[in-house]
Amino acid sequence: MTAPTAKLARSAAMASITVAVILVALKTWASWRTGSTAMLGSLADSALDLIASLATLTGVWVASMPADEDHRFGHGKAEALAAIFQVMLIALSAFGIAVRAIMQLAGQHQTAAAGDGIAVSVIAIALTLALLGWQRYVMSRTRSLAIQTDHLHYKSDLLLNLSVIAALMLDQYAGLGLADPLFGLAIAAWLAFGAWRGASEAVDALMDREWPESRRIAFVEAAARHPELSNLHDLRTRTSGNRDFVQFHVDLPPAMTIEQAHAIIERVEEDLCGQFPGMELLIHIDPEGHVDKPGNPLVEDDEFAKLEKDA
């Protein structure tokens, strides 16, 4: 990360921690007052949000560190590790809430003090909306995976807090005693879904998943606008934190001097890096007609030819 983007990412992480501390304090009191499983689930979620936000702050701090002798590609994957840690916490929380809800269904436990629980939930919604707005601003400028995962948590919190309000109202004002544990089960299911989705993104980052096909095609189209290049092959793309890494082979005439080839590649790199900010690009030159790995389509397929075929 650059210094300004790292500062933005850290500010979002600190805002998340501040909101989580306030919500944990309020929901601890509300859980004691109401005895609600739905409120307890909301408290557990906020407590995990606090721990996850601390992990997010650590992740974005490490990811912002410049490349060093031991990490020549930078520290961007620290954000994915922070995201994995958050996912594990969410999954554990979902399991615990589900167990509590099932026990409450069997025991027909009654809730109390609906007004206190509803007031705390309304405050939580207001604070969460403010935090989400700031996170969206930061995400648009940093592409931080850890902030994105944290943002996902707090988006789910909106529905979670609304669920707590509905559970308390149905349980105490409408006399539907099963509402609270059933809403608790629904919250657990929602948290589990969020954990699965967050895990998918983090694992993709750790496993160096290729760019989406539409973005790969856009990159090849940009490279194809340089007529001096031919037979772009062995294209590899990946993302680490907020940095993209791309490498490919391209054919140039065998009689061309090293100085001429270098000048062409520098122009291509400057153009492509300008169109895809935050990208590190490595271009390998092959003499026309050279074959690296015969019969291996992952290496030898000409990306330019694919464009013409699909056109």
Side-chain angles (χ1 to χ4, degrees), residues 27-182:
K27 291 179 181 180
T28 298
W29 175 79
S31 295
W32 169 71
R33 287 284 295 154
T34 63
S36 165
T37 295
M39 179 58 77
L40 182 64
S42 185
L43 168 61
D45 182 70
S46 293
L48 289 173
D49 280 345
L50 174 57
I51 299 172
S53 295
L54 291 170
T56 297
L57 179 61
T58 302
V60 297
W61 176 73
V62 175
S64 68
M65 296 171 63
D68 55 36
E69 291 184 0
D70 294 324
H71 306 90
R72 300 299 294 271
F73 289 98
H75 300 79
K77 289 189 177 181
E79 291 197 15
L81 292 173
I84 287 290
F85 178 68
Q86 294 176 44
V87 164
M88 293 171 62
L89 291 176
I90 295 170
L92 288 172
S93 175
F95 177 76
I97 295 167
V99 170
R100 166 65 184 259
I102 292 170
M103 292 175 64
Q104 186 175 347
L105 282 171
Q108 290 291 302
H109 173 71
Q110 291 289 319
T111 63
D116 293 339
I118 291 170
V120 166
S121 296
V122 170
I123 294 172
I125 290 172
L127 289 173
T128 301
L129 285 171
L131 177 62
L132 288 174
W134 179 243
Q135 286 180 330
R136 279 194 296 270
Y137 173 81
V138 172
M139 286 159 49
S140 68
R141 285 157 177 79
T142 66
R143 295 172 55 208
S144 167
L145 178 61
I147 298 299
Q148 289 175 26
T149 306
D150 211 34
H151 184 73
L152 176 64
H153 298 170
Y154 281 98
K155 281 177 67 177
S156 67
D157 281 357
L158 289 176
L159 181 60
L160 189 149
N161 285 300
L162 287 172
S163 298
V164 172
I165 293 173
L168 289 171
M169 292 182 69
L170 290 172
D171 186 74
Q172 294 187 42
Y173 300 146
L176 299 177
L178 296 179
D180 184 60
L182 289 177

Side-chain angles (χ1 to χ4, degrees), residues 167-217:
L168 289 171
M169 292 182 69
L170 290 172
D171 186 74
Q172 294 187 42
Y173 300 146
L176 299 177
L178 296 179
D180 184 60
L182 289 177
F183 271 93
L185 284 174
I187 290 169
W190 177 259
L191 290 173
F193 174 73
W196 174 80
R197 189 165 57 173
S200 297
E201 294 179 3
V203 169
D204 283 347
L206 291 172
M207 294 296 292
D208 291 334
R209 186 180 179 87
E210 285 287 321
W211 285 0
E213 188 63 20
S214 59
R215 194 160 188 241
R216 280 174 56 90
I217 291 173

Side-chain angles (χ1 to χ4, degrees), residues 223-291:
R225 288 193 279 272
H226 293 270
E228 60 268 47
L229 303 181
S230 65
N231 189 26
L232 188 154
H233 58 283
D234 200 10
L235 172 63
R236 306 182 190 187
T237 61
R238 68 184 179 93
T239 299
S240 179
N242 70 334
R243 298 288 295 175
D244 292 318
F245 296 86
V246 179
Q247 65 184 64
F248 61 82
H249 291 212
V250 71
D251 286 2
L252 289 178
M256 185 176 286
T257 66
I258 293 176
E259 185 176 3
Q260 291 171 325
H262 180 263
I264 289 172
I265 296 304
E266 278 210 325
R267 287 198 302 272
V268 172
E269 288 178 341
E270 183 178 1
D271 175 62
L272 293 177
C273 289
Q275 294 188 58
F276 294 84
M279 176 181 68
E280 292 191 17
L281 179 61
L282 176 64
I283 303 176
H284 177 84
I285 302 172
D286 285 335
E288 285 180 338
H290 175 77
V291 177

